[in-house]
């Protein structure tokens, strides 16, 4: 091979990294500036405990106007609560992979965080180390995994919308509120009649913006990973180490 041809051939390490970047991108776990992340929307499974000023309440028992503590805006009223259902047509077959919520086991993030198993859609971001990370980007198949939901033929999810994007507490874990309401959401018509389409920005930087953002980031940083990418790797490594440590303990030691 001539010197000119060798110059055109990317090093093996770079090629491997491009492959890994593409794989991560297809999983929806890229790194980029704050933008909408529509990957099943950011929703909580029915039964999730949400912190309010009067105590923890199941999400399906909340009402518009209830006050919730937030990470950035203090105590704030709920502006809208949305819901949608997913139905399994054939009970003899497993749920489609992306229809299944992500299960974050009790204590998976930190001691007693969450305080109970937390179930969210894959695109629902959690605030960790100052950045928002979609739950599906944290899956390690031990403490954070896709919930099979074999016992359910219907899954009901709920959104919580504040007047701007913020972080609320679900089972004690910091989780984003709904970024914006769109007309495809069930019971969205009343909100849109009153408020119209809103264009909120994320309350914190977000990691995990899908294929286009991932490719753009990786092309820019083939030789030098971005800060966001390194941060995501550090978070994953820490949670994986915690999962391994928890696996070596008795179940009651998880908290």
């Amino acid at each position: 091979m001539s010197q000119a041809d060798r110059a055109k051939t990317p090093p093996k390490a770079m090629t491997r990294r491009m492959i890994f970047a593409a794989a991560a991108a297809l999983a929806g776990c890229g790194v980029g500036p704050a933008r909408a992340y529509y990957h099943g929307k950011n929703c909580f499974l029915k039964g999730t405990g949400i912190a309010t000023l009067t105590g923890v309440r199941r999400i399906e028992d909340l009402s518009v106007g209830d006050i919730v503590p937030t990470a950035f805006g203090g105590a704030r009223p709920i502006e809208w609560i949305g819901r949608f259902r997913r139905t399994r047509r054939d009970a003899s077959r497993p749920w489609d992979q992306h229809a299944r919520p992500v299960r974050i086991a009790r204590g998976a993030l930190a001691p007693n965080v969450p305080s109970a198993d937390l179930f969210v859609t894959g695109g629902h971001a959690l605030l960790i180390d100052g950045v928002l990370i979609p739950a599906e980007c944290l899956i390690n198949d031990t403490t954070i995994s896709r919930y099979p939901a074999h016992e359910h033929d219907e899954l009901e999810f709920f959104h919580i919308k504040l007047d701007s994007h913020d972080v609320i507490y679900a089972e004690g874990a910091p989780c984003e509120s709904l970024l914006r309401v769109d007309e495809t959401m069930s019971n969205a018509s009343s909100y849109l009649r009153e408020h119209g389409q809103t264009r909120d920005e994320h309350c914190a930087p977000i990691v995990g913006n899908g294929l286009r953002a991932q490719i753009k980031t990786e092309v820019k940083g083939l030789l030098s990973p971005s800060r966001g990418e390194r941060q995501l790797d550090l978070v994953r490594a820490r949670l994986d180490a915690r999962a391994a440590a928890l696996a070596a303990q008795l179940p009651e030691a998880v908290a």
Side-chain angles (χ1 to χ4, degrees), residues 86 94-102 139 141 145-147:
R86 289 174 174 167
W95 283 91
D96 179 75
Q97 175 78 355
H98 293 292
R100 294 157 52 190
V102 174
I139 289 175
D141 291 325
S145 60
R146 287 282 181 181
Y147 174 51

Side-chain angles (χ1 to χ4, degrees), residues 158-246:
F158 291 79
H159 320 274
I160 291 179
K161 178 78 172 66
L162 310 178
D163 64 358
S164 63
H165 195 240
D166 211 323
V167 169
I168 62 177
Y169 297 91
E171 308 294 4
C175 300
E176 66 172 332
S177 64
L178 182 66
L179 181 67
R180 63 179 64 100
V181 177
D182 69 63
E183 61 187 11
T184 66
M185 298 176 179
S186 61
N187 76 309
S189 57
S190 59
Y191 177 91
L192 294 173
R193 279 197 302 270
E194 183 174 353
H195 301 280
Q197 291 284 0
T198 59
R199 299 293 298 177
D200 287 348
E201 297 295 329
H202 281 97
C203 60
I206 186 164
V207 174
N209 287 297
L211 180 61
R212 183 175 299 177
Q214 174 69 3
I215 291 175
K216 181 178 179 181
T217 300
E218 290 298 333
V219 168
K220 283 184 175 181
L222 283 173
L223 299 179
S224 177
S226 69
R227 179 180 177 183
E229 182 187 0
R230 291 194 300 270
Q231 192 167 3
L232 177 57
D233 288 342
L234 289 172
V235 169
R236 284 172 168 161
R238 187 175 76 239
L239 296 185
D240 288 350
R242 178 166 177 78
L246 293 175

Side-chain angles (χ1 to χ4, degrees), residues 6-65:
R6 283 197 298 270
K8 295 177 183 178
T9 304
K12 289 183 179 179
M14 185 181 295
T15 303
R16 285 196 299 270
R17 192 155 169 216
M18 290 175 72
I19 293 171
F20 293 150
L26 290 173
C29 298
V31 180
R35 68 183 69 184
Y37 187 103
Y38 293 111
H39 213 268
K41 303 187 174 70
N42 43 348
C43 314
F44 301 99
L45 188 63
K46 181 178 180 179
T48 300
I50 303 296
T52 75
L53 288 193
T54 58
V56 175
R57 295 170 58 190
R58 288 162 56 120
I59 192 165
E60 62 268 30
D61 296 330
L62 294 175
S63 301
V64 170

Side-chain angles (χ1 to χ4, degrees), residues 65-146:
D66 285 340
I67 308 297
V68 295
T70 69
F72 298 104
R76 303 180 64 183
I78 294 174
E79 185 175 70
W80 180 75
I81 299 172
R83 62 185 59 85
F84 74 92
R85 290 182 173 89
R86 289 174 174 167
T87 302
R88 182 168 53 166
R89 295 181 179 179
D90 185 349
S92 67
R93 299 178 61 84
W95 283 91
D96 179 75
Q97 175 78 355
H98 293 292
R100 294 157 52 190
V102 174
R103 171 185 172 268
I104 303 171
R106 180 172 68 94
L109 305 180
N112 206 38
V113 180
S115 56
D117 287 359
L118 173 63
F119 299 89
V120 296
T121 48
H124 201 142
L126 291 85
L127 184 69
I128 303 176
D129 293 353
V131 296
L132 293 165
I133 305 177
E136 65 185 359
C137 292
L138 299 173
I139 289 175
N140 55 22
D141 291 325
T142 53
T143 56
I144 304 175
S145 60
R146 287 282 181 181

